[in-house]
Structure formats: structure tokens, C-alpha cells
Amino acid sequence: MAVATVAARYAKSLLDLAQEQGITETLYKDMQLFKQTVDQSRPLLLMLKNPIVRSEKKTAVLKAAFEKRLNPVTMSFLQIITKKNREPIMDAIAEEFIRQYDRLKGVERASIITTVPLTDALREQFKAMVLETTGGKLVELEERIDPKLIGGYILRVGDQQIDGSIRNQLNELRLQFLN
């Protein structure tokens, strides 16, 4: 079975359990912490994905790293995943949980790349653009600065990209002159 399908099923199960127990926000923060930790620690990710490392060792490492920082429900969930030999996809499960939580709450994630830091007015304008495009309730905007754009912006929402950068306009002009 595909990793995405399995991850979606585990994430949905955890989200349903969180809603039943009224701890959705807590588990969301736990999954964000887990995902962030795994993304920042390549050795931890490689250990989880390594089929040679025994599941008991993986459980011990997860306990040592997360037991004091995560909710007991989250820890139990991670232990169940380890017992089922699904630890290589734990990061995908956490990512899918975050995605399903965002969908449940109507949160849209977008990234904006500009040459200078955004002002509050521009930030609100970009958030309004995202809300208009997606129909969501809230927007979480990830801001990055790239001086290579020369000017303008690149806005990414899901798999869509709006490229209003001067670099892109110059490339288009160059192509027109070549043709």
C-alpha cells in the first residue's frame, strides 16, 4: 500500500481520537513538534527509517526524546506505530495529521518570497488574495526573502504559484526577443 494512503489512515485515526477526547489542539502541537524535530535531526529520521534497527530500540529512542514533551496519547500512538512496524512513515503520518487538521479548521498555508520584508499592509493583502483564491477561513503565511528576484514576489498556495517577480518578467522578455 502506498505510504500516503497508510499515513492518511493513521492520521485520520489519530485526529478522530483527538476529537473524541477533546485534545485536538494538544495533539496538533505534538505532531508539529514531532515533525519539526524529525526534520531537524537527520540521524533520528534515518534511525526511524532503518529496517536493521529493532523496534525496541526505536521505541526506547522515541521515549527518551519525546516522553516528557508529548501528551501520553501521542506517545501511545507512536508506540503503536512502532509495534506495527510503521515507524519509517512516522514523519509522513505527522505531516498528514497536520494537513488534515488544517483542512478541518479551514487553515490555508501559503508561502511568499519577496526581496524585502513585508509590511503589515502587504501581509494582509497577500492573506486576502489567498483567502479569495482558496475560500479558507485562516491563512498561515510563510515569508522568505530572496534578493535574486530583483523585485516583486512569488506566492505559492498548494500546488499553484503566482510569479510576479521582475526576474520572471525579464526571463519572459528574453524569451520573446529570442523568438
Side-chain angles (χ1 to χ4, degrees):
M1 202 176 290
V3 170
T5 306
V6 175
R9 288 181 181 171
Y10 277 105
K12 181 168 180 7
S13 298
L14 183 60
L15 189 59
D16 290 345
L17 177 66
Q19 287 177 311
E20 280 178 24
Q21 295 189 359
I23 54 173
T24 311
E25 296 294 323
T26 305
L27 293 191
Y28 172 69
K29 288 177 184 166
D30 286 354
M31 285 293 124
Q32 282 184 316
L33 175 69
F34 179 81
K35 180 75 173 119
Q36 181 182 4
T37 305
V38 169
D39 287 347
Q40 292 175 352
S41 175
R42 183 156 169 77
L44 177 61
L45 179 65
L46 292 175
M47 186 270 309
L48 288 173
K49 292 187 180 288
N50 190 338
I52 297 171
V53 178
R54 299 176 56 89
S55 65
E56 294 84 22
K57 178 75 173 168
K58 291 178 184 180
T59 302
V61 170
L62 288 171
K63 256 187 179 178
F66 295 108
E67 191 167 41
K68 291 184 170 98
R69 297 166 44 191
L70 298 180
N71 185 297
V73 174
T74 307
M75 279 308 300
S76 298
F77 180 75
L78 294 178
Q79 289 172 347
I80 290 169
I81 290 173
T82 306
K83 285 179 186 170
K84 300 269 187 192
N85 293 321
R86 297 290 190 180
E87 60 275 355
I89 63 167
M90 277 184 177
D91 59 327
I93 293 169
E95 193 173 315
E96 183 61 31
F97 181 89
I98 293 167
R99 191 174 299 122
Q100 288 182 18
Y101 175 87
D102 287 347
R103 203 173 311 128
L104 177 73
K105 297 292 183 180
V107 176
E108 294 294 332
R109 295 190 183 275
S111 68
I112 182 81
I113 304 171
T114 58
T115 55
V116 294
L118 292 177
T119 63
D120 288 337
L122 279 174
R123 189 173 295 113
E124 292 306 315
Q125 198 173 8
F126 283 122
K127 285 182 178 182
M129 282 174 60
V130 172
L131 287 176
E132 185 180 309
T133 305
T134 62
K137 297 176 188 170
L138 292 168
V139 175
E140 286 194 18
L141 202 58
E142 176 195 339
E143 300 175 26
R144 289 188 308 195
I145 296 174
D146 183 3
K148 294 178 186 171
L149 293 181
I150 305 170
Y153 65 91
I154 298 175
L155 177 65
R156 290 190 182 116
V157 181
D159 61 350
Q160 297 177 337
Q161 175 173 304
I162 301 169
D163 193 341
S165 66
I166 293 179
R167 180 180 65 184
N168 182 50
Q169 293 170 6
L170 289 173
N171 283 338
E172 287 177 7
L173 272 175
R174 187 176 58 94
L175 288 173
Q176 286 178 0
F177 284 134
L178 288 174
N179 291 334

